[in-house]
Amino acid sequence: MINQKMLELGSKRSIIREIFEYSKIRANEIGKENVFDFSLGNPSVCPPQEISDCIINLIKNENPTLLHGYTSAQGDQTVREAVANSVKSRFGCDVSANNVYMTCGAAASLSISLKALLNENEQVIVFAPFFTEYTVFIKNAGGEVVISNPKENTFQVDLVDFENKITEKTKAVIINSPNNPSGVVYTEEKIIKICEILNKKSAEYNHPIYLISDEPYRELVYSSVKVPYLINYYDNTLVCYSYSKALSLPGERIGYIIVSPKCVNSKEVYLAVCGAGRSLGYVCAPSLFQQVIARCVDTVVDVSTYKENRDLLLDNLTSFGFKCVKPDGAFYLFVKTPNNDAFEFYQMAKKHEILVVPCDDFGVKGYVRIAYCVDKSRIVNSLVSFKNLAKEYSLI
Amino acid sequence: MINQKMLELGSKRSIIREIFEYSKIRANEIGKENVFDFSLGNPSVCPPQEISDCIINLIKNENPTLLHGYTSAQGDQTVREAVANSVKSRFGCDVSANNVYMTCGAAASLSISLKALLNENEQVIVFAPFFTEYTVFIKNAGGEVVISNPKENTFQVDLVDFENKITEKTKAVIINSPNNPSGVVYTEEKIIKICEILNKKSAEYNHPIYLISDEPYRELVYSSVKVPYLINYYDNTLVCYSYSKALSLPGERIGYIIVSPKCVNSKEVYLAVCGAGRSLGYVCAPSLFQQVIARCVDTVVDVSTYKENRDLLLDNLTSFGFKCVKPDGAFYLFVKTPNNDAFEFYQMAKKHEILVVPCDDFGVKGYVRIAYCVDKSRIVNSLVSFKNLAKEYSLI
């Protein structure tokens, strides 16, 4: 009688959520320090001190009625100017405030963008492995999910598979780099080729295929690897950004959409974004944090902690015989399970009090995700258990 | 090619937005103090000092990683307990944290509730005059809007018209009391009769008809009038609340849904609410303000200023010969236009630098809304202009 799809969506807990609940129960039983929970992508690095200082400064010095008041639906003008100027100076592309739409975080950015672009039964290509909620947002916009399989081992885009997956119904492609759950950053070479294919296919089918760049992990990279700014590579691009990871503010729900000024009918796409936001019930992005962003737009958390964690985990797990994808960004380690059975691995690890996420739902079979956005001590203390797990699999 | 409905929704500015833009331009031309802008429902009363103190206290004393971290999708447990306890003690109904789902404000509460309940082409009854965005949210959930016309003059619900509008396809009814735009509070007597009709019709059609109580203006009442708490009157009730007006925090997007524990299959309805929130891209309500609400749950802005404004405006406009609906709550005065032509009145008022909202889109012809959530000085200074407008209409 009520909407059964919504009931199903609310009832079917994600595996991550299941593990999260188990973790709490287990911590009560044996002590939190004895549960090696690597399931959640919740930033462990403290938000920069500038954020706290900025909030206190705003509360003490600004008119509270204005500070907490409605902004225009697309965001406060000065905030959008600050974002546009930052993007312009960092990436050299000609973006203005009129291209920026402030949102309640990455999930909102994606939901709104998809709703703005898609018509019933149009297709969206996602590159496996991919964040499972993409499916939810694409379906909510009436679309159909098409999965493009990656190159085994590197988890870079398989260009042949990608090209084969494009049809007349393809409306958009989501790129998530650095990637959740693999930590892989797509190379500039791959990006250039993806864009070539998209241009060719857009011409062939005589309609634009949009590129949606979901990039909450943009600032979290651990080597000299470059994360190409897609607006500079492809005209019909929408950038979906969130400050959740870059500033460790995931609960505050603050991010943005940039509609590239080079999009075909860019103004109309922007207006459709405004319409989609309205339709989904987003009145404006939280006003206090809009002002925080305007003042801290180029601030980033200290990523050295994540890098240390990555190195510690990667080096040890590799030495134990596990096959890991080397992550250049984000805060996830993607590990191949010895028997190509992610659920079995998840359960065996659990016996050693290690909690990892089996990734079959992410579109790749036989892998688990280890979120290393945790205290270093948790990694250090878990190593004996990982070693025992390796022994159980006869890896050492 | 992109979604044309979204484009239309983003392109078609609401009349309120049009006036807002005009107001800014006109203020630049003749000075802000000479434009008597009564168009926006943006609270003018300062948020309580407790809010600012609470924010600073949280920032100074709480772990920032936790404070700004993800909460569970339905909201932090302690926050939901605080809300449930407040509702329980204020209204005497048996609500627990398990019935509370924290949201990004009233628009999110409504969008999520409608999406959770409705199937394609089911109907939702709204009582005119009604907030225009209801149409957007109902359509987004696949539903159809059915307007029930009010009793002329009092703008209370017309029970005969209401009963006639209920069909087999009726899934929900939205009650907004105190009402935007009329300021009317529905009497307990009316509420009891509405609920009787709903119970009768639910039995007749053999399915629950849900009551959605949209009540952001609950705390803004100016007389001894009682605002009935609908969970105490009808089992299949969802309460959609927002702190936008009660705490003057409209930009912060914080509110909640309560699914009455007495709903048929209450747990399933709650799960569908969780599913709908997920589907629309709401990850969690802003985390800092969740904690603020937990600590200031029974705080309310000083409404005496709004009462003073109401009395000043109502007394003067009535003395000038305007026919006004006496508002017991919210911060709007609903005025009958002398020629039963709201747009004409809007334009004539504009010549006197008075900006009001013509309300044909709110489902009632020939009325304008005057938002008195403004500095008292604006009302005082506008009175000569209102008098001149009355003269132009030969009212005095």
Side-chain angles (χ1 to χ4, degrees):
Chain A
M1 281 301 307
I2 56 173
N3 190 299
Q4 295 300 303
K5 279 187 199 163
M6 295 305 116
L7 174 58
E8 197 191 324
L9 210 52
S11 307
K12 205 186 131 191
R13 267 190 188 160
S14 75
I15 182 85
I16 298 176
R17 187 60 207 259
E18 289 276 4
I19 300 168
F20 177 67
E21 298 297 334
Y22 170 81
S23 171
K24 282 196 288 189
I25 293 164
R26 193 63 181 147
N28 278 336
E29 290 167 359
I30 63 168
K32 206 179 170 194
E33 69 285 2
N34 298 313
V35 183
F36 309 122
D37 184 351
F38 298 102
S39 62
L40 276 189
N42 211 354
S44 57
V45 171
C46 197
Q49 184 59 39
E50 291 96 307
I51 302 293
S52 299
D53 295 346
C54 180
I55 294 172
I56 289 178
N57 188 31
L58 285 165
I59 296 292
K60 285 190 173 166
N61 299 314
E62 298 295 318
N63 174 337
T65 313
L66 291 176
L67 183 62
H68 303 300
Y70 289 117
T71 72
S72 68
Q74 62 268 46
D76 186 73
Q77 178 71 17
T78 58
V79 175
R80 292 186 292 130
E81 276 165 11
V83 169
N85 288 338
S86 166
V87 165
K88 213 164 155 177
S89 76
R90 289 182 65 197
F91 308 113
C93 49
D94 192 24
V95 161
S96 82
N98 293 336
N99 308 117
V100 179
Y101 178 94
M102 301 302 296
T103 67
C104 296
S109 299
L110 283 165
S111 305
I112 292 170
S113 296
L114 289 162
K115 182 98 183 168
L117 295 175
L118 294 188
N119 297 295
E120 206 66 29
N121 298 322
E122 288 181 331
Q123 295 172 338
V124 179
I125 297 178
V126 299
F127 295 107
F130 62 91
F131 181 47
T132 51
E133 293 299 283
Y134 288 172
T135 308
V136 177
F137 305 146
I138 293 167
K139 284 186 181 165
N140 182 58
E144 193 188 312
V145 182
V146 174
I147 300 172
S148 174
N149 300 312
K151 288 272 188 197
E152 178 96 54
N153 302 325
T154 66
F155 288 96
Q156 291 283 338
V157 171
D158 181 334
L159 295 167
V160 176
D161 184 80
F162 170 54
E163 186 162 353
N164 285 337
K165 294 284 164 69
I166 301 176
T167 73
E168 200 173 355
K169 285 164 72 188
T170 306
K171 188 55 161 288
V173 174
I174 302 178
I175 285 188
N176 173 223
S177 169
N179 181 267
N180 172 13
S182 74
V184 165
V185 174
Y186 297 147
T187 62
E188 186 181 23
E189 190 195 345
K190 285 281 179 189
I191 294 295
I192 289 170
K193 290 199 172 136
I194 289 169
C195 297
E196 277 172 15
I197 293 170
L198 284 174
N199 278 321
K200 189 176 79 175
K201 289 289 182 177
S202 293
E204 185 179 328
Y205 294 125
N206 199 28
H207 70 249
I209 300 173
Y210 296 90
L211 195 54
I212 298 176
S213 179
D214 175 33
E215 44 181 65
Y217 299 100
R218 165 167 290 280
E219 323 318 334
L220 274 53
V221 284
Y222 312 117
S223 56
S224 59
V225 68
K226 186 183 162 191
V227 184
Y229 198 70
L230 299 189
I231 284 181
N232 291 332
Y233 293 80
Y234 187 70
D235 287 351
N236 291 307
T237 294
L238 282 77
V239 173
C240 291
Y241 192 78
S242 158
Y243 293 93
S244 292
K245 321 292 176 178
L247 292 174
S248 288
L249 300 172
E252 304 302 353
R253 313 315 302 144
I254 185 82
Y256 61 75
I257 299 165
I258 292 180
V259 177
S260 171
K262 289 187 276 177
C263 263
V264 176
N265 299 324
S266 177
K267 277 187 190 167
E268 293 203 340
V269 176
Y270 186 86
L271 286 173
V273 162
C274 294
R278 190 176 162 192
S279 161
L280 298 173
Y282 293 100
V283 172
C284 64
S287 50
L288 171 64
F289 276 91
Q290 284 195 47
Q291 296 303 327
V292 170
I293 293 309
R295 286 156 181 80
C296 304
V297 71
D298 289 321
T299 309
V300 174
V301 292
D302 175 12
V303 297
S304 65
T305 309
Y306 294 136
K307 185 178 185 305
E308 273 177 40
N309 285 358
R310 180 199 68 161
D311 293 343
L312 184 64
L313 200 61
L314 180 65
D315 292 351
N316 277 284
L317 264 60
T318 306
S319 79
F320 300 157
F322 291 109
K323 284 190 182 149
C324 307
V325 181
K326 188 183 173 188
D328 284 321
F331 37 47
Y332 307 109
L333 185 65
F334 207 48
V335 181
K336 191 172 169 64
T337 59
N339 295 337
N340 201 32
D341 187 333
F343 198 72
E344 176 206 70
F345 187 94
Y346 155 68
Q347 286 181 308
M348 279 176 69
K350 204 165 154 186
K351 282 187 207 149
H352 296 270
E353 311 300 349
I354 297 170
L355 301 178
V356 299
V357 176
C359 285
D360 290 5
D361 286 351
F362 291 67
V364 172
K365 275 211 157 317
Y367 281 78
V368 295
R369 183 188 87 171
I370 304 181
Y372 54 80
C373 44
V374 297
D375 272 354
K376 190 177 172 181
S377 63
R378 188 178 300 173
I379 300 177
V380 172
N381 295 334
S382 72
L383 293 177
V384 174
S385 296
F386 271 114
K387 198 166 186 175
N388 289 335
L389 183 60
K391 280 180 191 159
E392 207 173 339
Y393 270 113
S394 309
L395 300 180
I396 41 176
Chain B
M1 281 302 306
I2 57 172
N3 191 299
Q4 296 300 304
K5 279 187 197 165
M6 295 305 117
L7 175 56
E8 197 192 321
L9 211 51
S11 306
K12 205 187 132 191
R13 266 190 187 159
S14 75
I15 181 84
I16 298 176
R17 188 59 206 260
E18 289 277 4
I19 300 169
F20 178 67
E21 298 298 334
Y22 170 81
S23 172
K24 281 196 289 191
I25 294 165
R26 192 63 182 146
N28 278 336
E29 289 167 0
I30 63 167
K32 206 180 170 193
E33 67 286 3
N34 298 313
V35 183
F36 309 121
D37 185 351
F38 298 102
S39 62
L40 274 189
N42 211 353
S44 56
V45 171
C46 197
Q49 183 59 38
E50 291 96 307
I51 302 294
S52 300
D53 295 346
C54 180
I55 294 171
I56 290 179
N57 188 32
L58 285 165
I59 297 292
K60 285 191 172 165
N61 299 313
E62 298 295 319
N63 174 335
T65 313
L66 291 176
L67 183 62
H68 304 299
Y70 290 117
T71 72
S72 68
Q74 62 268 47
D76 186 74
Q77 178 72 18
T78 58
V79 176
R80 292 186 293 129
E81 277 165 11
V83 169
N85 288 337
S86 166
V87 165
K88 213 165 154 177
S89 74
R90 288 182 65 197
F91 307 113
C93 50
D94 192 24
V95 161
S96 82
N98 293 334
N99 307 117
V100 179
Y101 177 94
M102 300 303 296
T103 67
C104 295
S109 299
L110 283 166
S111 305
I112 293 170
S113 296
L114 289 162
K115 182 99 182 166
L117 295 175
L118 294 188
N119 296 294
E120 207 67 30
N121 298 322
E122 289 181 331
Q123 295 172 338
V124 179
I125 297 178
V126 299
F127 296 107
F130 61 91
F131 182 46
T132 52
E133 294 299 281
Y134 288 171
T135 308
V136 177
F137 306 146
I138 293 168
K139 284 185 181 164
N140 182 58
E144 193 188 310
V145 182
V146 175
I147 300 173
S148 174
N149 300 312
K151 288 272 189 196
E152 177 96 54
N153 301 325
T154 65
F155 287 96
Q156 290 285 337
V157 171
D158 180 333
L159 296 167
V160 176
D161 184 80
F162 171 54
E163 186 161 354
N164 285 337
K165 294 286 164 66
I166 302 175
T167 74
E168 200 172 358
K169 285 164 71 188
T170 306
K171 189 54 161 288
V173 174
I174 302 178
I175 285 188
N176 174 222
S177 168
N179 181 267
N180 172 12
S182 74
V184 165
V185 174
Y186 297 148
T187 61
E188 185 181 24
E189 191 195 345
K190 285 281 179 190
I191 294 295
I192 290 172
K193 289 199 173 137
I194 290 169
C195 297
E196 278 172 12
I197 293 169
L198 285 173
N199 278 321
K200 189 177 79 177
K201 289 289 182 177
S202 292
E204 185 180 327
Y205 294 124
N206 199 27
H207 71 249
I209 301 172
Y210 296 90
L211 195 54
I212 298 176
S213 180
D214 175 33
E215 44 181 64
Y217 299 101
R218 166 168 290 282
E219 323 320 333
L220 275 52
V221 283
Y222 312 117
S223 55
S224 59
V225 68
K226 187 183 162 191
V227 184
Y229 198 69
L230 298 190
I231 284 182
N232 290 332
Y233 293 81
Y234 187 70
D235 286 352
N236 291 307
T237 295
L238 282 77
V239 173
C240 291
Y241 192 77
S242 158
Y243 293 94
S244 292
K245 320 293 176 178
L247 293 174
S248 288
L249 300 171
E252 303 301 353
R253 314 313 302 144
I254 185 82
Y256 61 74
I257 298 166
I258 292 180
V259 177
S260 170
K262 289 187 275 176
C263 263
V264 176
N265 299 325
S266 177
K267 277 188 189 166
E268 293 203 341
V269 176
Y270 186 86
L271 287 172
V273 162
C274 295
R278 191 177 161 191
S279 162
L280 297 173
Y282 293 101
V283 171
C284 62
S287 51
L288 171 64
F289 277 92
Q290 283 195 46
Q291 297 303 327
V292 171
I293 294 308
R295 285 156 181 80
C296 304
V297 71
D298 290 320
T299 308
V300 175
V301 292
D302 176 10
V303 298
S304 65
T305 309
Y306 293 136
K307 186 178 186 304
E308 270 177 42
N309 285 358
R310 180 199 69 163
D311 293 343
L312 184 64
L313 200 61
L314 180 65
D315 292 350
N316 276 283
L317 264 61
T318 305
S319 79
F320 300 157
F322 291 109
K323 284 191 181 149
C324 307
V325 180
K326 188 183 174 189
D328 283 321
F331 37 48
Y332 306 109
L333 185 65
F334 207 48
V335 181
K336 190 170 169 65
T337 58
N339 296 336
N340 202 33
D341 187 333
F343 198 72
E344 177 207 69
F345 187 94
Y346 155 68
Q347 285 181 310
M348 280 175 68
K350 205 166 155 186
K351 283 188 208 149
H352 295 271
E353 310 300 348
I354 297 170
L355 301 178
V356 298
V357 176
C359 285
D360 291 4
D361 286 351
F362 290 68
V364 172
K365 275 211 157 316
Y367 282 78
V368 295
R369 184 187 86 171
I370 304 182
Y372 54 80
C373 45
V374 297
D375 273 353
K376 190 178 171 181
S377 63
R378 188 178 299 171
I379 299 177
V380 172
N381 296 334
S382 72
L383 293 176
V384 174
S385 296
F386 271 114
K387 199 167 185 174
N388 289 334
L389 183 60
K391 280 180 192 159
E392 208 173 335
Y393 270 113
S394 309
L395 299 179
I396 41 176

